[in-house]
């Protein structure tokens, strides 16, 4: 008879590998959660909110800060940068996708920093700096090093365009009925959904192009999501807070 103590380790190892393989296969079958971020204003509080779209769950990423704006996801989706208050002015903050590791990358430099824009490889940021009525553009690594001014004719050239010229989503009126339409470059409007809802900013396509998100405009500013073909149009927030800066996590 083979001793049990010789068989058991091998059996346990095989079982562990089978469990790991099943976990990997199951993970590849499950879709990645889709996340939206936006800013919400309540009184003097401007918070950065993260939403799990599939489950409708939200939480504030910035409860320790009272006023944030201009959030920008890193291209790899791991980090988010934004403007926040610091020492009576404004600084550029960075944290991970779920609110951990909050830090400022420009705290040691005088002036007010605005509008963070990521490097294409997510290793650093461009930003505007206003000091003594002088506005300049800078670049910096995420650890605050390698700060250097840059020359650009127009800083807006660095900002990723939120409007897709190839396929625009617009509110309109056709055949006696209001709605939201998809207009492809050179094509006729395609009705996605019939609704009286209009929206602020540009509707945002999800990274996989399967969903469209927008913030309504008018008596309420709530987040709505629909499938790319207009189906499953639904309201996913209902808190009455003023919202802006809607973005999908890459």
């Amino acid at each position: 008879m083979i001793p049990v103590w010789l068989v058991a380790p091998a059996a346990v190892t095989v079982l562990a590998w089978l469990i790991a393989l099943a976990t990997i296969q199951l993970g590849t079958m499950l879709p990645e959660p889709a996340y939206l971020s936006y800013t919400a204003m309540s009184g003097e509080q401007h918070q950065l909110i993260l939403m799990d779209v599939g489950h409708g769950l939200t939480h504030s990423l910035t409860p320790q800060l009272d006023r944030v704006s201009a959030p920008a996801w890193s291209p790899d989706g791991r980090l988010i940068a934004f403007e926040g208050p610091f020492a009576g002015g404004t600084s550029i903050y960075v944290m991970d996708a779920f609110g951990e590791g909050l830090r400022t990358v420009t705290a040691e430099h005088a002036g007010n920093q605005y509008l963070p824009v990521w490097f294409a490889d997510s290793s650093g940021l461009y930003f505007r700096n206003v000091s003594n009525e002088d506005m300049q553009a800078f670049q910096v690594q995420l650890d605050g090093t390698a700060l250097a001014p840059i020359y650009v004719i127009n800083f807006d050239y660095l900002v990723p365009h939120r409007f897709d010229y190839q396929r625009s989503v617009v509110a309109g009126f056709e055949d006696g009925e209001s709605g939201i339409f998809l207009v492809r470059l050179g094509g006729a409007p395609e009705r996605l959904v019939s609704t009286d809802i209009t929206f602020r900013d540009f509707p945002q396509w999800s990274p996989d192009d399967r969903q469209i998100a927008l913030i309504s405009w008018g008596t309420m500013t709530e987040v709505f999501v629909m499938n790319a073909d207009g189906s499953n149009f639904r309201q996913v927030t209902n808190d009455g807070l003023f919202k802006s800066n809607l973005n999908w996590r890459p």
Side-chain angles (χ1 to χ4, degrees):
M1 178 181 294
I2 301 175
V4 173
W5 61 270
L6 289 178
V7 176
V12 170
T13 301
V14 171
L15 179 60
W17 274 106
L18 289 174
I19 292 174
L21 180 60
T23 302
I24 293 172
Q25 290 178 336
L26 180 61
T28 59
M29 293 168 58
L30 296 175
E32 283 289 323
Y35 293 98
L36 279 168
S37 65
Y38 56 89
T39 54
M41 181 174 65
S42 177
E44 296 299 317
Q45 291 281 326
H46 291 230
Q47 292 292 302
L48 178 56
I49 307 297
L50 182 70
M51 165 178 278
D52 178 338
V53 177
H55 297 92
L57 301 175
T58 63
H59 76 276
S60 173
L61 296 175
T62 55
Q64 63 275 66
L65 299 174
D66 59 7
R67 195 175 185 87
V68 302
S69 60
W73 286 99
S74 61
D76 61 13
R78 294 175 51 250
L79 302 167
I80 188 167
F82 57 91
E83 304 167 7
F86 186 85
T90 303
S91 187
I92 303 299
Y93 288 82
V94 172
M95 61 184 169
D96 75 18
F98 299 100
E100 299 296 324
L102 177 67
R103 61 196 184 277
T104 175
V105 297
T106 57
E108 297 180 2
H109 310 293
N112 289 314
Q113 292 85 35
Y114 299 97
L115 198 60
V117 177
W118 286 92
F119 294 177
D121 63 0
S122 301
S123 66
L125 293 159
Y126 305 106
F127 64 92
R128 282 175 169 169
N129 184 79
V130 181
S131 179
N132 298 323
E133 299 183 358
D134 180 35
M135 180 179 292
Q136 289 182 287
F138 284 81
Q139 64 183 22
V140 67
Q141 294 295 312
L142 294 184
D143 60 1
T145 62
L147 177 75
I150 59 173
Y151 176 76
V152 290
I153 297 175
N154 188 335
F155 188 84
D156 290 338
Y157 293 159
L158 297 175
V159 180
H161 291 293
R162 291 167 54 86
F163 182 74
D164 188 339
Y165 293 94
Q166 299 296 319
R167 49 174 189 182
S168 56
V169 177
V170 300
F173 187 85
E174 187 177 73
D175 298 330
E177 190 174 17
S178 299
I180 297 175
F181 298 83
L182 173 63
V183 182
R184 301 182 189 277
L185 187 64
E190 306 169 28
R191 183 183 294 272
L192 293 175
V193 62
S194 295
T195 178
D196 293 330
I197 291 172
T198 57
F199 40 83
R200 57 178 287 111
D201 299 331
F202 299 120
Q204 298 297 303
W205 290 83
S206 62
D208 61 7
D209 288 336
R210 297 174 62 182
Q211 298 185 88
I212 303 168
L214 58 91
I215 295 178
S216 60
W217 181 245
T219 57
M220 63 176 180
T221 58
E222 302 294 352
V223 179
F224 289 76
V225 175
M226 71 179 99
N227 294 335
D229 62 0
S231 62
N232 197 22
F233 182 62
R234 62 202 186 275
Q235 182 177 336
V236 294
T237 65
N238 190 31
D239 53 27
L241 300 179
F242 183 85
K243 302 173 184 66
S244 59
N245 298 303
L246 183 67
N247 285 292
W248 292 93
R249 180 191 178 192

